[in-house]
Amino acid sequence: MIIEDYNKDQYIIKNLVKDAIAENSELFLIDLQFLADNKIFVEIDGDNGVSLDECIRVSRGVEHNLDREEEDFSLEVTTPDIAQPIKVTRQYIKNINRVLTIRLKDNTRVEGMLKSVSEGGIELEWKAREPKPIGKGKITIIKKATISFGDIAEAKVKIIF
């Protein structure tokens, strides 16, 4: 197999990755890239995280069905870095009730607890201090925003220690 012949070989590899992931319904594909020097990069995630054993299983499911005698390649199966932006809808679902930092396409930033995910977007909730309607001082109110996926430039899970 020559991995530079992307059409046929990429199709085969995509199906091998898909089949390996399908063996565990909690897993889902984040990214699949065909890089220079015959490197295959697979990024997977799971509804409840991904164990090292699952990464190894997916790697073997792909690697054992490719012929190294025909073409040498490297395969990397990894999980997402917590500091990286969310890439697919299922990652939003996985992170319900966590705090997200969102940068919108107009460069405004919103930070709040992810409360729900729909087909078209997400709902965030956060507390804000605002002036009292009558009298001096401020009160804490709960604000909500529904944000369309199309308006999100970048979303990250806020790391809280």
Side-chain angles (χ1 to χ4, degrees), residues 1-21 29 32 34 40 42 58-68 70-71 73 75:
M1 174 189 324
I2 300 172
I3 295 180
E4 280 87 18
D5 183 13
Y6 287 123
N7 295 333
K8 179 182 159 197
D9 296 331
Q10 281 185 357
Y11 178 78
I12 291 167
I13 293 165
K14 283 179 186 178
N15 282 328
L16 289 171
V17 169
K18 181 181 167 186
D19 291 346
I21 290 172
L29 182 65
L32 173 60
F34 300 91
I40 304 165
V42 180
V58 170
S59 178
R60 287 181 180 157
V62 173
E63 198 169 318
H64 289 206
N65 288 294
L66 297 175
D67 188 0
R68 284 198 183 268
E70 268 187 56
E71 185 68 34
F73 61 91
L75 174 65

Side-chain angles (χ1 to χ4, degrees), residues 1 38 46 64 73 76 83 112 127 130 144 157:
M1 174 189 324
N38 289 346
H64 289 206
F73 61 91
E76 179 181 355
K127 292 179 182 177
E130 292 191 351
K144 293 184 180 186
V157 176

Side-chain angles (χ1 to χ4, degrees), residues 4-159:
E4 280 87 18
D5 183 13
Y6 287 123
N7 295 333
K8 179 182 159 197
D9 296 331
Q10 281 185 357
Y11 178 78
I12 291 167
I13 293 165
K14 283 179 186 178
N15 282 328
L16 289 171
V17 169
K18 181 181 167 186
D19 291 346
I21 290 172
E23 290 179 26
N24 181 340
S25 63
E26 289 190 0
L27 297 182
F28 52 95
L29 182 65
I30 300 295
D31 197 8
L32 173 60
Q33 295 179 35
F34 300 91
L35 306 170
D37 299 325
N38 289 346
K39 182 174 182 175
I40 304 165
F41 175 80
V42 180
E43 186 176 21
I44 60 174
D45 202 351
D47 297 326
N48 295 303
V50 181
S51 69
L52 179 59
D53 289 341
E54 281 298 287
C55 286
I56 293 168
R57 184 189 59 76
V58 170
S59 178
R60 287 181 180 157
V62 173
E63 198 169 318
H64 289 206
N65 288 294
L66 297 175
D67 188 0
R68 284 198 183 268
E69 296 297 319
E70 268 187 56
E71 185 68 34
D72 193 29
F73 61 91
S74 68
L75 174 65
E76 179 181 355
V77 177
T78 187
T79 58
D81 180 342
I82 188 72
Q84 294 301 311
I86 293 174
K87 295 179 184 174
V88 299
T89 304
R90 200 156 160 189
Q91 286 180 292
Y92 285 100
I93 295 168
K94 171 186 174 177
N95 287 294
I96 287 176
N97 293 322
R98 289 197 172 132
V99 177
L100 298 186
T101 302
I102 310 259
R103 183 174 51 84
L104 301 173
K105 288 188 176 173
D106 67 3
N107 275 332
T108 59
R109 294 187 185 277
V110 181
E111 185 174 287
M113 177 84 63
L114 178 61
K115 296 310 262 181
S116 67
V117 180
S118 67
E119 191 173 300
I122 60 172
E123 183 180 331
L124 290 183
E125 183 179 285
W126 66 95
K127 292 179 182 177
R129 298 281 292 163
E130 292 191 351
K132 287 183 181 178
I134 300 173
K136 294 182 179 181
K138 292 187 175 189
I139 59 171
T140 301
I141 62 166
I142 295 177
K143 291 192 159 201
K144 293 184 180 186
T146 301
I147 304 170
S148 164
F149 287 125
D151 292 335
I152 298 173
E154 181 180 87
K156 291 183 177 182
V157 176
K158 184 174 183 179
I159 302 167

